[in-house]
């Protein structure tokens, strides 16, 4: 049964996390035996914790597939490889599908169509990889308790729930009864890096819904670089744990600027930062003006093709958190 028992203790301490890990390791071993398990490893908190648990339980019987759709934040795919392949010695298949995704998304402007293409292609790439592998009996998923409460238990943004009929495996979902904060405590206890465990929410379609309109490689590069600068500066200012979600957006219109005495026609970058409890409503935090100016100066100096930086002052509602 997939319901959390009323008397289940909340995992709030390293000791409770260790108890959970020991129990799950035993349970996974008895469920899986000597068979192989497949996992789509996005690098998000939930799939990373599931990967680390499974590696502890069954080592190389776990096959992780990380699909880079070209819409990851700067350094994210690299971190997945470093942590799971290099440090934890996992069986990790890395697929750089950037060109595939960007070719399909070329000239596509409508946000929901972009989402559908990204989700659909993700399933396709994952399915193709899964078919190349032999002897897979189980599919691991980072389903957490709110996913079960809010939907039919299939984690929409992981997209693997949409695998074709003949690719259905028995599921391994070791964190299915945990809330997000508990998953983080378990991730910590498993030794995953703090910036992975405390990662802010990141939409499944990734930077694809922040590079507004039809995605182009130049604007996507500007988005990735500006986002990395924002993250670095907020981190240095100690804001990472105080602001719920923050990122940049690059719209699909240009404005006039001047650089080295010459007129330019370049992209703006919009900074978005919000605080919220449940993402249904959100407020805009007051960020030190000096810090905003420093971030703007860095983006303007370091990111090619950008001539303006703006700070979005709009709460949710009427605005949404993302721009698309
Ligand atoms: P909005 O923009 O609706 O966002 O105020 C609320 C929260 O949901 C995230 N978000 C998504 N997450 N797939 C996801 O997995 C998506 O397509 C998607 N769109 C928005 C957003 O980042 C925010 O945390």
């Amino acid at each position: 049964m997939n319901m959390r028992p009323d008397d289940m203790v909340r995992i709030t301490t390293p000791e409770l996390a260790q108890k959970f890990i020991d129990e799950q390791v035993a349970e996974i071993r008895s469920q899986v035996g000597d068979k192989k398990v497949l996992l789509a490893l996005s690098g998000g908190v939930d799939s990373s914790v599931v990967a680390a648990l499974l590696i502890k339980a069954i080592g190389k019987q776990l096959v992780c597939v990380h699909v880079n759709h070209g819409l990851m934040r700067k350094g994210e795919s690299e971190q997945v490889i470093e942590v799971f392949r290099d440090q934890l010695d996992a069986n990790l298949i890395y697929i750089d599908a950037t060109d595939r995704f960007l070719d399909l998304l070329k000239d596509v402007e409508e946000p929901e169509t972009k989402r559908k293409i990204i989700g659909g292609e993700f399933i396709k790439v994952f399915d193709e990889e899964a078919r190349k592998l032999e002897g897979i009996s189980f599919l691991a998923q980072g389903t957490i308790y709110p996913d079960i409460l809010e939907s039919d238990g299939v984690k929409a943004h992981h997209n693997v729930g949409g695998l074709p009929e003949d690719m259905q495996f028995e599921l391994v979902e070791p964190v299915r009864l945990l809330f997000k904060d508990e998953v983080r405590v378990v991730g910590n206890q498993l030794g995953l890096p703090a910036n992975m465990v405390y990662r802010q929410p990141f939409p499944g379609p990734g930077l694809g819904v922040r590079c507004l309109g039809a995605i182009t490689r130049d604007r996507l590069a500007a988005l990735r670089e500006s986002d990395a600068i924002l993250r670095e500066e907020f981190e240095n200012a100690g804001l990472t744990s105080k602001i719920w979600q923050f990122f940049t957006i690059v719209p699909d219109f240009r404005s006039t600027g001047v650089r080295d005495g010459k007129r330019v026609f370049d992209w703006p970058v919009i900074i978005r930062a919000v605080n919220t409890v449940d993402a249904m409503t959100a407020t805009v935090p007051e960020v030190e003006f000096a810090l905003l100016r420093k971030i703007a100066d860095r983006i303007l100096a370091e990111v090619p093709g950008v001539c303006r930086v703006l700070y979005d002052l709009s709460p949710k509602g009427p605005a949404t958190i993302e721009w698309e």
Side-chain angles (χ1 to χ4, degrees), residues 67-86:
V67 178
N68 178 358
H69 50 26
L71 305 165
M72 309 287 287
R73 286 177 290 204
K74 188 172 180 176
E76 273 183 329
S77 285
E78 291 81 353
Q79 188 184 33
V80 169
I81 294 171
E82 192 196 311
V83 170
F84 290 97
R85 186 182 284 165
D86 303 345

Side-chain angles (χ1 to χ4, degrees), residues 247 272 274 279-280 282 312 314-324:
F247 52 88
R272 183 81 169 130
V274 291
M280 301 301 283
D312 184 350
S314 328
K316 177 177 181 175
T320 50
I321 296 174
E322 303 288 345
W323 270 52
E324 283 191 337

Side-chain angles (χ1 to χ4, degrees), residues 111-112 115 156-158 200-206 209-210 244-245 247 272 274 276 278-282 316 319-324:
E112 291 315 308
R115 278 190 170 77
H157 71 263
H158 277 194
Q200 55 176 306
F202 186 54
V209 291
R210 298 174 182 170
W244 194 78
Q245 196 175 15
F247 52 88
R272 183 81 169 130
V274 291
T276 178
D278 56 9
M280 301 301 283
T281 60
K316 177 177 181 175
T320 50
I321 296 174
E322 303 288 345
W323 270 52
E324 283 191 337

Side-chain angles (χ1 to χ4, degrees), residues 140-276:
Q141 288 199 149
T143 312
I144 64 171
Y145 200 50
D147 301 324
I148 292 174
L149 294 179
E150 287 160 23
S151 68
D152 58 0
V154 172
K155 200 160 191 181
H157 71 263
H158 277 194
N159 293 317
V160 286
L163 280 177
E165 201 57 23
D166 66 322
M167 289 297 286
Q168 298 299 330
F169 306 97
E170 193 181 322
L171 294 180
V172 181
E173 298 181 306
V175 297
R176 71 188 174 282
L177 295 183
L178 303 193
F179 287 101
K180 195 76 168 195
D181 56 320
E182 299 178 294
V183 178
R184 294 194 208 274
V185 180
V186 170
N188 244 339
Q189 185 64 15
L190 284 164
L192 290 174
N195 66 350
M196 205 170 231
V197 171
Y198 294 100
R199 210 173 88 134
Q200 55 176 306
F202 186 54
L207 299 180
V209 291
R210 298 174 182 170
C211 187
L212 304 188
I215 298 167
T216 55
R217 286 176 194 254
D218 59 343
R219 285 190 305 117
L220 188 56
L223 177 59
R224 185 172 283 121
E225 290 306 315
S226 58
D227 181 70
I229 292 170
L230 175 71
R231 282 197 287 151
E232 190 185 319
E233 292 298 335
F234 270 24
E235 166 108 52
N236 290 344
L239 294 179
T240 301
S241 58
K242 296 196 182 113
I243 300 182
W244 194 78
Q245 196 175 15
F246 50 87
F247 52 88
T248 60
I249 297 127
V250 177
D252 52 350
F253 56 82
R254 290 193 267 197
S255 77
T256 307
V258 58
R259 199 180 283 280
D260 303 326
K262 279 200 210 95
R263 185 183 175 282
V264 292
F265 198 46
D266 278 344
W267 308 110
V269 162
I270 300 158
I271 297 172
R272 183 81 169 130
V274 291
N275 274 328
T276 178

